[in-house]
Amino acid sequence: MAGLQTIIDNCNAIQIDRRKVVGIQFTRNEVARTSETPTYQPWRINLTMPSSFRYNEARALMEALDTLDRNVPEIVTFGNNNCLSWIFRYQGSMNSTQINNISVASFIGSTLTLENLPSVTPTRILFEPNDLIQIGNNPYPFTVQSQVLRGTGTQVQITTHRPNILTTGVVGNGITVGNDCQFKLFCPNMPIYKLIPGGYQKQRGVVLGNALIEFSDDFNLYEWVATA
């Protein structure tokens, strides 16, 4: 059983943070001074879990989480659960065949250039703000910052929410969008769990001992960018 994927699929609250590291100081006359530290702007996703897992049905999950511990990443997606698939749903107008034909011409800084575009009208919307784009098989999504139309050229340029952090070549790679994108995450605060008597079940008329699982904290997932 995939540990973090199961947690994502069953959480009841999600908090997303992918903002820059910014320092703010105020002078004695109350003028604000800001400074920015260049980083990979990793995704930080906080998941709150309900106390609804029955221990006898989740022992494989407990083993998976203990095996991951606080230092092993897992590749996950938000498209597995229909209750979550709306979060990163692709908002543009291309179909899957058109998306699969697109390739990367360049990715310099925060400017992603795509080619092999579909033959559609110039006003067709290819991407909307906050759409996810993944380059090749690299599980590090980037978001689109502004609406992108097809236009009349052979290429389109997209401004992404962070610079290109990939260390491998991207020219000629295909793209993945929306819910099909993957994230490489680990949980540096991996919560421990408490067993609370309850959730009893009957088997052949016999009441079986059981417990509900209560986690000690939220799951604070962090993007594993060490091998991007």
Side-chain angles (χ1 to χ4, degrees):
M1 175 179 287
L4 297 184
Q5 185 65 66
T6 301
I7 296 300
I8 289 172
D9 292 344
N10 291 275
C11 70
N12 60 8
I14 298 177
Q15 177 178 292
I16 298 173
D17 178 10
R18 54 183 178 84
R19 294 181 180 173
K20 301 174 182 177
V21 177
V22 176
I24 303 175
Q25 293 181 325
F26 292 90
T27 64
R28 284 183 293 181
N29 58 345
E30 297 187 347
V31 175
R33 308 288 189 189
T34 64
S35 61
E36 180 183 324
T37 301
T39 72
Y40 280 11
Q41 286 179 242
W43 291 81
R44 296 176 291 275
I45 301 175
N46 186 77
L47 306 174
T48 301
M49 291 296 295
S51 300
S52 59
F53 278 111
R54 289 188 173 96
Y55 179 70
N56 68 348
E57 298 172 345
R59 291 181 65 178
L61 171 62
M62 299 300 99
E63 185 63 24
L65 293 177
D66 286 341
T67 299
L68 288 172
D69 211 323
R70 295 183 296 239
N71 63 331
V72 179
E74 181 180 319
I75 294 177
V76 300
T77 178
F78 285 81
N80 281 3
N81 187 334
N82 288 333
C83 293
L84 299 177
S85 60
W86 54 270
I87 296 176
F88 294 118
R89 177 181 56 82
Y90 169 63
Q91 305 169 93
S93 61
M94 292 185 289
N95 59 40
S96 58
T97 300
Q98 293 169 332
I99 293 170
N100 291 338
N101 287 335
I102 291 176
S103 60
V104 176
S106 66
F107 194 179
I108 302 172
S110 298
T111 302
L112 172 63
T113 303
L114 302 178
E115 58 187 4
N116 297 322
L117 305 172
S119 299
V120 294
T121 58
T123 56
R124 278 281 293 275
I125 298 172
L126 302 188
F127 299 98
E128 290 280 15
N130 199 236
D131 271 337
L132 289 186
I133 298 181
Q134 177 182 321
I135 310 300
N137 295 320
N138 302 292
Y140 302 100
F142 300 82
T143 61
V144 177
Q145 290 203 315
S146 58
Q147 187 182 76
V148 179
L149 302 180
R150 169 60 181 88
T152 58
T154 59
Q155 299 179 336
V156 293
Q157 289 189 332
I158 298 170
T159 301
T160 57
H161 82 284
R162 60 179 172 183
N164 179 10
I165 66 171
L166 305 176
T167 57
T168 57
V170 299
V171 175
N173 281 196
I175 65 168
T176 302
V177 303
N179 285 323
D180 293 328
C181 291
Q182 298 175 316
F183 295 77
K184 193 171 187 177
L185 304 173
F186 75 113
C187 187
N189 79 315
M190 183 67 77
I192 57 177
Y193 48 90
K194 180 191 295 184
L195 304 183
I196 302 174
Y200 301 111
Q201 294 177 310
K202 282 188 176 182
Q203 183 175 345
R204 298 175 182 175
V206 178
V207 177
L208 302 178
N210 205 356
L212 297 176
I213 297 172
E214 181 180 282
F215 292 103
S216 61
D217 200 353
D218 290 348
F219 285 77
N220 299 323
L221 306 188
Y222 200 92
E223 188 177 29
W224 184 271
V225 294
T227 55

